[in-house]
Amino acid sequence: MQPLTNGKGFDVYMGDDTIVFSGVTLDVTGTVHGSADYVVNFNQWMEYPRKSFGPSPIICSTFTKSHVGNYYYIYDSGSGALEYYDGSDGSSSSPELANGIIATGQGFWTYDFGWITFKQSDKTASTATFVRESN
């Protein structure tokens, strides 16, 4: 078992091999990042593991940012592409990202040198699609 570090990306591969995935249950334990705001420093490509921020979807357009673009990318394992949402004009490469809301537990990438503050007010009760390959 390896502890997760807030603000650092973490990949988990659970396939039987590079082709077959029989299915598993992944249990994550620990404290959900509580009621305080959370600052993440980015340098170049940075994956932020949403699992550590909280159990609610978050709204990309409300992040407080410095030297970080108004967009994010999500890897779609179904298409093999990086899907994007651009907050400057509301465009996206996928209908699942059209509202600019990042689903609970969804990892995402951004590019630049700077920081993002995730505030409790960035959370939303709206639903968001977790982008992944469908079964």
Side-chain angles (χ1 to χ4, degrees):
M1 185 161 79
Q2 182 176 352
L4 300 178
T5 302
N6 282 340
K8 184 174 183 180
F10 195 86
D11 291 323
V12 177
Y13 181 76
M14 298 178 290
D16 300 339
D17 55 36
T18 58
I19 299 172
V20 177
F21 175 72
S22 299
V24 297
T25 299
L26 177 66
D27 291 319
V28 179
T29 61
T31 304
V32 173
H33 192 69
S35 60
D37 294 345
Y38 186 65
V39 177
V40 176
N41 291 307
F42 291 87
N43 51 26
Q44 291 188 332
W45 279 102
M46 177 66 186
E47 176 186 5
Y48 182 70
R50 278 277 294 111
K51 296 170 198 72
S52 62
F53 183 64
S56 301
I58 55 175
I59 306 169
C60 177
S61 61
T62 62
F63 298 164
T64 302
K65 302 176 272 298
S66 175
H67 301 288
V68 174
N70 195 19
Y71 51 87
Y72 65 86
Y73 299 91
I74 292 177
Y75 178 69
D76 182 344
S77 59
S79 69
L82 278 179
E83 304 294 351
Y84 73 86
Y85 173 78
D86 185 339
S88 62
D89 63 7
S91 64
S92 67
S93 60
S94 169
E96 289 84 4
L97 305 180
N99 61 5
I101 297 175
I102 300 172
T104 301
Q106 181 80 65
F108 68 93
W109 288 262
T110 189
Y111 181 81
D112 232 324
F113 296 91
W115 53 263
I116 295 177
T117 299
F118 298 96
K119 302 176 301 294
Q120 294 300 312
S121 59
D122 294 333
K123 295 179 180 180
T124 180
S126 299
T127 59
T129 302
F130 191 93
V131 178
R132 64 177 180 267
E133 185 174 6
S134 60
N135 295 334

